[in-house]
Amino acid sequence: MTRTRGGRFAALALAFAALLGLASVVGATRAQALPLSIPLEVTFRDMMPGESASHTWQVTVPERAVVSEARLEESGPGEATWTTELCPGAGACLDLGTLKVGTPLPAGSYDLRVGVTVHELDPGQTQSIEGRYTLVGAPGDDGLASTGLGAGPLAAAALAFALLGLLLLVVGRRRRTEHDEEPA
Protein backbone atom coordinates (compact mmCIF):
# COMPACT_ATOMS: atom_id res chain seq x y z
CA MET A 1 0.00 0.00 0.00
CA THR A 2 1.47 3.36 -0.95
CA ARG A 3 1.49 6.35 1.36
CA THR A 4 -1.18 8.06 -0.71
CA ARG A 5 -3.54 5.07 -0.87
CA GLY A 6 -3.17 4.33 2.88
CA GLY A 7 -3.81 7.99 3.73
CA ARG A 8 -6.91 8.02 1.55
CA PHE A 9 -8.30 4.89 3.20
CA ALA A 10 -7.59 6.34 6.65
CA ALA A 11 -9.29 9.63 5.76
CA LEU A 12 -12.25 7.78 4.26
CA ALA A 13 -12.63 5.59 7.35
CA LEU A 14 -12.50 8.62 9.66
CA ALA A 15 -15.00 10.55 7.51
CA PHE A 16 -17.36 7.56 7.49
CA ALA A 17 -16.98 7.29 11.28
CA ALA A 18 -17.99 10.95 11.62
CA LEU A 19 -21.06 10.41 9.42
CA LEU A 20 -22.12 7.35 11.41
CA GLY A 21 -21.64 9.27 14.65
CA LEU A 22 -23.88 12.06 13.36
CA ALA A 23 -26.46 9.51 12.18
CA SER A 24 -26.50 7.94 15.65
CA VAL A 25 -27.34 11.31 17.20
CA VAL A 26 -30.08 11.98 14.63
CA GLY A 27 -31.42 8.42 14.99
CA ALA A 28 -31.58 8.72 18.76
CA THR A 29 -33.42 12.04 18.53
CA ARG A 30 -35.93 10.66 16.02
CA ALA A 31 -36.57 7.55 18.10
CA GLN A 32 -37.58 9.74 21.05
CA ALA A 33 -40.17 11.77 19.06
CA LEU A 34 -42.85 9.09 19.45
CA PRO A 35 -44.79 7.76 21.28
CA LEU A 36 -46.70 10.96 21.89
CA SER A 37 -49.40 11.18 24.54
CA ILE A 38 -52.14 13.77 24.02
CA PRO A 39 -54.13 14.31 27.22
CA LEU A 40 -57.52 15.95 26.90
CA GLU A 41 -59.16 17.47 29.96
CA VAL A 42 -61.64 20.35 29.75
CA THR A 43 -64.24 21.59 32.23
CA PHE A 44 -66.89 24.21 31.49
CA ARG A 45 -68.51 25.87 34.52
CA ASP A 46 -71.56 28.05 35.15
CA MET A 47 -73.18 27.50 31.77
CA MET A 48 -76.83 28.17 31.04
CA PRO A 49 -79.15 25.98 28.94
CA GLY A 50 -78.65 26.71 25.23
CA GLU A 51 -75.19 28.17 25.81
CA SER A 52 -72.09 26.95 23.91
CA ALA A 53 -68.40 27.13 24.81
CA SER A 54 -65.20 25.83 23.27
CA HIS A 55 -61.47 25.54 23.81
CA THR A 56 -58.72 25.05 21.18
CA TRP A 57 -55.01 24.28 21.49
CA GLN A 58 -52.17 23.19 19.21
CA VAL A 59 -50.83 19.64 18.91
CA THR A 60 -47.74 18.81 16.84
CA VAL A 61 -47.30 15.31 15.44
CA PRO A 62 -43.55 15.11 14.72
CA GLU A 63 -43.74 12.27 12.18
CA ARG A 64 -46.24 9.98 10.48
CA ALA A 65 -48.05 8.10 13.27
CA VAL A 66 -50.96 5.82 14.16
CA VAL A 67 -53.31 5.97 17.12
CA SER A 68 -52.46 3.27 19.70
CA GLU A 69 -54.84 4.46 22.44
CA ALA A 70 -58.10 6.37 22.12
CA ARG A 71 -60.19 7.11 25.21
CA LEU A 72 -62.83 9.81 25.71
CA GLU A 73 -65.26 10.17 28.64
CA GLU A 74 -67.92 12.82 29.17
CA SER A 75 -69.14 13.63 32.66
CA GLY A 76 -71.55 15.97 34.37
CA PRO A 77 -75.25 16.24 35.13
CA GLY A 78 -77.83 17.39 32.67
CA GLU A 79 -77.82 17.05 28.91
CA ALA A 80 -75.05 18.38 26.65
CA THR A 81 -73.69 17.84 23.14
CA TRP A 82 -69.90 17.59 22.85
CA THR A 83 -67.66 18.08 19.81
CA THR A 84 -64.05 16.95 19.87
CA GLU A 85 -61.97 17.36 16.72
CA LEU A 86 -58.37 17.14 15.61
CA CYS A 87 -58.00 19.48 12.64
CA PRO A 88 -54.99 19.75 10.31
CA GLY A 89 -54.08 23.08 8.71
CA ALA A 90 -55.87 21.95 5.54
CA GLY A 91 -58.29 19.10 5.04
CA ALA A 92 -61.08 17.49 7.00
CA CYS A 93 -61.09 17.33 10.79
CA LEU A 94 -61.04 14.00 12.61
CA ASP A 95 -63.83 13.39 15.15
CA LEU A 96 -62.06 12.25 18.33
CA GLY A 97 -65.29 10.63 19.55
CA THR A 98 -65.10 8.09 16.71
CA LEU A 99 -61.29 7.92 16.33
CA LYS A 100 -60.16 4.29 16.56
CA VAL A 101 -56.91 2.54 17.39
CA GLY A 102 -54.92 2.09 14.17
CA THR A 103 -56.06 5.36 12.56
CA PRO A 104 -53.09 6.89 10.67
CA LEU A 105 -52.12 10.53 11.18
CA PRO A 106 -49.69 12.42 8.93
CA ALA A 107 -47.00 14.57 10.53
CA GLY A 108 -47.87 18.21 11.08
CA SER A 109 -49.57 20.77 13.29
CA TYR A 110 -53.15 20.23 14.35
CA ASP A 111 -55.78 22.22 16.24
CA LEU A 112 -57.41 20.19 19.00
CA ARG A 113 -60.92 21.62 19.41
CA VAL A 114 -63.32 20.79 22.22
CA GLY A 115 -66.78 22.31 22.36
CA VAL A 116 -69.99 21.82 24.32
CA THR A 117 -73.57 22.99 23.92
CA VAL A 118 -75.67 22.66 27.08
CA HIS A 119 -79.31 21.65 26.68
CA GLU A 120 -80.35 21.09 30.31
CA LEU A 121 -78.25 22.09 33.29
CA ASP A 122 -78.99 23.39 36.77
CA PRO A 123 -77.19 26.59 37.84
CA GLY A 124 -73.67 26.04 39.21
CA GLN A 125 -73.24 22.59 37.67
CA THR A 126 -70.32 21.74 35.39
CA GLN A 127 -69.72 19.69 32.28
CA SER A 128 -66.37 17.93 31.79
CA ILE A 129 -64.69 15.79 29.19
CA GLU A 130 -61.53 13.78 29.68
CA GLY A 131 -59.54 11.61 27.34
CA ARG A 132 -56.15 10.38 26.25
CA TYR A 133 -54.82 9.68 22.77
CA THR A 134 -51.46 8.00 22.29
CA LEU A 135 -49.63 8.04 18.95
CA VAL A 136 -46.83 5.68 17.91
CA GLY A 137 -44.67 5.49 14.79
CA ALA A 138 -46.60 4.48 11.69
CA PRO A 139 -45.71 1.09 10.21
CA GLY A 140 -43.17 1.25 7.40
CA ASP A 141 -43.30 -0.75 4.20
CA ASP A 142 -41.98 -3.77 6.13
CA GLY A 143 -44.90 -3.68 8.59
CA LEU A 144 -42.71 -2.71 11.54
CA ALA A 145 -43.10 0.47 13.55
CA SER A 146 -40.90 3.25 12.23
CA THR A 147 -39.01 4.44 15.32
CA GLY A 148 -35.60 5.03 13.76
CA LEU A 149 -32.45 2.99 14.12
CA GLY A 150 -31.19 3.07 17.68
CA ALA A 151 -28.09 5.07 18.48
CA GLY A 152 -26.18 2.06 19.85
CA PRO A 153 -25.48 0.19 16.60
CA LEU A 154 -24.63 3.38 14.72
CA ALA A 155 -22.30 4.60 17.48
CA ALA A 156 -20.58 1.19 17.58
CA ALA A 157 -20.06 1.27 13.81
CA ALA A 158 -18.72 4.85 14.06
CA LEU A 159 -16.26 3.75 16.73
CA ALA A 160 -15.14 0.77 14.62
CA PHE A 161 -14.49 2.98 11.59
CA ALA A 162 -12.67 5.56 13.73
CA LEU A 163 -10.40 2.82 15.10
CA LEU A 164 -9.82 1.49 11.59
CA GLY A 165 -8.90 4.99 10.38
CA LEU A 166 -6.49 5.49 13.29
CA LEU A 167 -4.94 2.05 12.71
CA LEU A 168 -4.40 2.89 9.03
CA LEU A 169 -2.76 6.19 10.03
CA VAL A 170 -0.41 4.42 12.48
CA VAL A 171 0.51 1.72 9.93
CA GLY A 172 1.07 4.38 7.27
CA ARG A 173 3.27 6.43 9.60
CA ARG A 174 5.26 3.35 10.60
CA ARG A 175 5.82 2.43 6.94
CA ARG A 176 6.85 5.99 6.16
CA THR A 177 9.36 5.91 9.00
CA GLU A 178 10.76 2.57 7.79
CA HIS A 179 10.93 3.89 4.22
CA ASP A 180 12.71 7.08 5.31
CA GLU A 181 15.29 5.06 7.32
CA GLU A 182 16.28 2.78 4.42
CA PRO A 183 19.74 3.55 2.96
CA ALA A 184 19.70 4.97 -0.53
Side-chain angles (χ1 to χ4, degrees):
M1 184 172 5
T2 65
R3 279 179 15 181
T4 311
R5 191 180 319 166
R8 284 187 201 151
F9 284 135
L12 184 62
L14 290 172
F16 196 61
L19 286 174
L20 285 174
L22 180 63
S24 71
V25 171
V26 172
T29 303
R30 184 176 183 272
Q32 295 171 359
L34 292 175
L36 173 67
S37 180
I38 303 171
L40 185 143
E41 189 173 336
V42 180
T43 299
F44 295 102
R45 292 178 167 72
D46 300 324
M47 294 184 67
M48 302 297 291
E51 189 177 0
S52 295
S54 65
H55 184 72
T56 301
W57 60 96
Q58 282 277 308
V59 173
T60 300
V61 178
E63 61 186 89
R64 198 168 53 95
V66 297
V67 177
S68 68
E69 176 188 15
R71 180 179 55 83
L72 189 64
E73 298 171 10
E74 302 169 9
S75 64
E79 190 178 317
T81 302
W82 287 93
T83 57
T84 52
E85 300 176 314
L86 191 60
C87 302
C93 295
L94 297 169
D95 180 359
L96 293 179
T98 60
L99 195 65
K100 303 287 186 223
V101 170
T103 302
L105 287 176
S109 292
Y110 292 83
D111 285 336
L112 180 56
R113 299 177 186 158
V114 177
V116 65
T117 300
V118 175
H119 303 293
E120 292 179 20
L121 189 67
D122 291 334
Q125 294 180 322
T126 62
Q127 290 290 321
S128 297
I129 193 163
E130 186 177 322
R132 176 163 311 278
Y133 296 86
T134 303
L135 308 178
V136 296
D141 296 337
D142 57 3
L144 300 174
S146 174
T147 59
L149 183 60
L154 289 173
L159 180 61
F161 275 100
L163 291 174
L164 175 64
L166 291 174
L167 178 66
L168 289 171
L169 285 175
V170 168
V171 168
R173 179 166 286 182
R174 192 173 283 163
R175 285 188 180 194
R176 246 191 331 262
T177 304
E178 290 172 4
H179 179 69
D180 291 343
E181 292 175 358
E182 290 179 10

